[in-house]
Amino acid sequence: MANLLEIVTIGNPVLKNTSEEVVDFNSVKELCEDMIESLPSNGVGLAAPQVGQNLKIFVAKLNDVKRVFINPKILEKSDEFIDGYEGCLSIPGYLGKVKRHNWVKLGYYTLEKEYKEEVFENFQARIMQHEYDHLDGIVYLEKVSPINSLSTEESFVKYIKKSQPKT
Ligand SMILES: [Zn+2]
């Protein structure tokens, strides 16, 4: 049975490190299952550093299906950017505007060590870029622009939009 992992918060050095590529896929099977289990109902993405592991793994909930992405690489990206609000499970209580590519083409491995390439658009592309950044030790807060778009969850709900899933 999968375990619920503790999600670390900003300030923890593990969120600032560059993560290592996965070599032994069998050794991360349990971690991946635990990460899927640990993605909260208000979350759409969770990267391994957020559960204290500097490994190139993230899970994302896409069309209500939780999927695992191992050793992901952004292979291509749109020239166009789109503005949108983001929150992060490791920075609880805040949201801010971040510019992201409209679409990205991601190369990645599944837990079964199958290599895939897939294009993600709009909000799904945003999730991919947010999680990918975690593997490089970057949190969305570093990319919030304009900086005064930063909002507490309370103000966000009150003045901007009813809800926003967390990554
Ligand atoms: Zn995050």
Side-chain angles (χ1 to χ4, degrees):
M1 216 181 89
N3 301 302
L4 271 185
L5 304 170
E6 191 193 335
I7 297 174
V8 304
T9 53
I10 190 168
N12 190 315
V14 78
L15 290 172
K16 299 178 197 174
N17 297 336
T18 303
S19 289
E20 304 276 336
E21 292 230 332
V22 173
V23 180
D24 179 0
F25 280 55
N26 284 329
S27 70
V28 297
K29 193 169 184 286
E30 203 178 320
L31 172 66
C32 291
E33 286 165 2
D34 290 349
M35 283 172 65
I36 282 178
E37 188 71 19
S38 304
L39 185 62
S41 57
N42 67 339
V44 287
L46 185 66
Q50 294 182 278
V51 294
Q53 302 287 330
N54 278 127
L55 288 166
K56 288 199 186 295
I57 302 172
F58 63 72
V59 298
K61 191 162 69 184
L62 306 172
N63 302 321
D64 278 331
V65 179
K66 292 176 181 179
R67 291 167 53 185
V68 176
F69 297 85
I70 300 174
N71 297 342
K73 271 198 177 75
I74 292 178
L75 305 171
E76 285 176 53
K77 52 205 175 188
S78 64
D79 294 331
E80 306 80 38
F81 290 86
I82 192 162
D83 253 339
Y85 278 89
E86 278 178 37
C88 180
L89 293 164
S90 295
I91 308 167
Y94 291 92
L95 296 116
K97 254 187 196 174
V98 181
K99 236 183 241 318
R100 298 286 190 188
H101 296 282
N102 279 8
W103 60 262
V104 291
K105 184 179 184 180
L106 197 78
Y108 63 92
Y109 286 87
T110 66
L111 197 45
E112 289 72 37
K113 216 173 172 177
E114 193 183 340
Y115 180 71
K116 291 189 173 183
E117 291 183 358
E118 197 172 337
V119 174
F120 297 94
E121 298 177 294
N122 302 317
F123 191 65
Q124 291 192 349
R126 178 170 296 280
I127 298 170
M128 295 300 147
Q129 290 167 81
H130 178 115
E131 301 312 327
Y132 191 78
D133 276 352
H134 273 303
L135 307 183
D136 279 337
I138 297 165
V139 293
Y140 85 95
L141 213 50
E142 299 171 48
K143 297 187 167 178
V144 170
S145 176
I147 192 73
N148 72 359
S149 70
L150 193 68
S151 166
T152 61
E153 213 156 359
E154 197 186 351
S155 298
F156 185 81
V157 171
K158 200 167 167 187
Y159 301 111
I160 303 164
K161 205 173 145 192
K162 271 206 209 73
S163 75
Q164 174 87 347
K166 304 293 182 309
T167 43

